[in-house]
Amino acid sequence: MFEISAEEKTVGAITPKKLAAIVEQIQTVGFAVVGNLVTKEVCELLAESVQEDAAKIKAANNPTIHERLTGQGHLQLGLRRYAPYVKADLVANPIIESIVAGILGKGAWLGFYSGNVNCPGSTHQPLHMDRPFSWDTPEEAAEAGQSWPPPTTSLSCSVALEEITVENGATEIYPGTHRATEVINLPRGSRLEDHPELLAKWGPTSRMVIPAGGAVIRDPR
């Protein structure tokens, strides 16, 4: 894990050496955990609001669309988009922005603002990718001036409002599979768990353990 110092957080910038190390890990491993990005006060405020909203959803006793598509107890639950819940720590964090720009370039923009809640007693989600490859063949990538395997065109930044551990449901991930172009040729509708030969090749898995106020920044492929 990469830790952001109090001084770096105050000035809103990290050292070039640390930034380069984070960027390299995302490019090679597929994700990096960065601690101390969001203040304790902001985490507590937002966590309380999320718990209230989740309780209302669960009280309806009717599985959401996301639960039906993924797994029981997994809520796609966005943060409240009004004062006092929209915080610069999340939507305009200069350190997060510098890391994203290090991967995607300075034209990157925030295109999805939501969240995930893993409720007690939840089932497993099926193994999946959050985003596809932007180019399907080496020829397509070359025509666009890209290398093969191609670079990502998006990043996911998941901020932990409370500590995320193996015990309370840290996400399982296959490091390095953001470059596994063999998934492009899988039959339409095919699930990754139906291909044990790929899972054996990709393993072992890791778990994205994140301290409260930290984030995992990952290639969503």
Side-chain angles (χ1 to χ4, degrees):
M1 184 181 77
F2 297 91
E3 189 71 21
I4 303 303
S5 69
E7 181 180 358
E8 289 173 324
K9 190 171 180 178
T10 298
V11 301
I14 56 180
T15 66
K17 182 178 180 180
K18 185 179 294 184
L19 176 59
I22 295 172
V23 167
E24 181 182 17
Q25 182 164 315
I26 296 171
Q27 290 175 330
T28 56
V29 180
F31 70 99
V33 177
V34 183
N36 194 32
L37 288 167
V38 179
T39 66
K40 179 181 178 181
E41 292 74 21
V42 168
C43 285
E44 290 177 348
L45 172 70
L46 297 181
E48 182 178 2
S49 72
V50 167
Q51 289 167 354
E52 290 174 355
D53 293 344
K56 292 176 183 177
I57 293 171
K58 298 306 290 181
N61 199 29
N62 183 28
T64 65
I65 294 175
H66 190 258
E67 286 181 286
R68 292 196 292 269
L69 292 174
T70 58
Q72 179 183 336
H74 293 275
L75 305 182
Q76 185 74 49
L77 180 57
L79 295 170
R80 297 172 183 177
R81 300 189 180 196
Y82 51 87
Y85 303 102
V86 180
K87 297 295 186 182
D89 268 9
L90 269 71
V91 299
N93 188 304
I95 294 176
I96 294 176
E97 290 177 352
S98 68
I99 295 169
V100 171
I103 300 287
L104 301 180
K106 294 184 178 181
W109 52 284
L110 176 61
F112 186 67
Y113 183 60
S114 189
N116 296 103
V117 177
N118 186 9
C119 299
S122 63
T123 59
H124 286 290
Q125 291 191 67
L127 183 63
H128 64 280
M129 301 175 294
D130 283 340
R131 293 288 185 276
F133 282 78
S134 296
W135 298 274
D136 289 339
T137 65
E139 291 74 22
E140 285 184 9
E143 187 175 344
Q146 303 294 338
S147 57
W148 190 264
T152 189
T153 55
S154 63
L155 288 174
S156 294
C157 179
S158 301
V159 175
L161 301 180
E162 296 181 345
E163 183 181 16
I164 297 177
T165 66
V166 171
E167 289 73 24
N168 68 14
T171 301
E172 185 176 30
I173 191 168
Y174 282 81
T177 52
H178 61 301
R179 297 171 61 84
T181 55
E182 56 263 39
V183 300
I184 294 171
N185 298 315
L186 294 180
R188 187 176 181 83
S190 176
R191 285 192 163 183
L192 291 170
E193 61 260 32
D194 296 331
H195 299 275
E197 74 286 355
L198 291 181
L199 303 189
K201 174 183 175 181
W202 295 341
T205 60
S206 182
R207 299 291 287 270
M208 293 194 293
V209 173
I210 317 170
V216 61
I217 301 172
R218 62 184 173 84
D219 187 322
R221 297 175 296 175

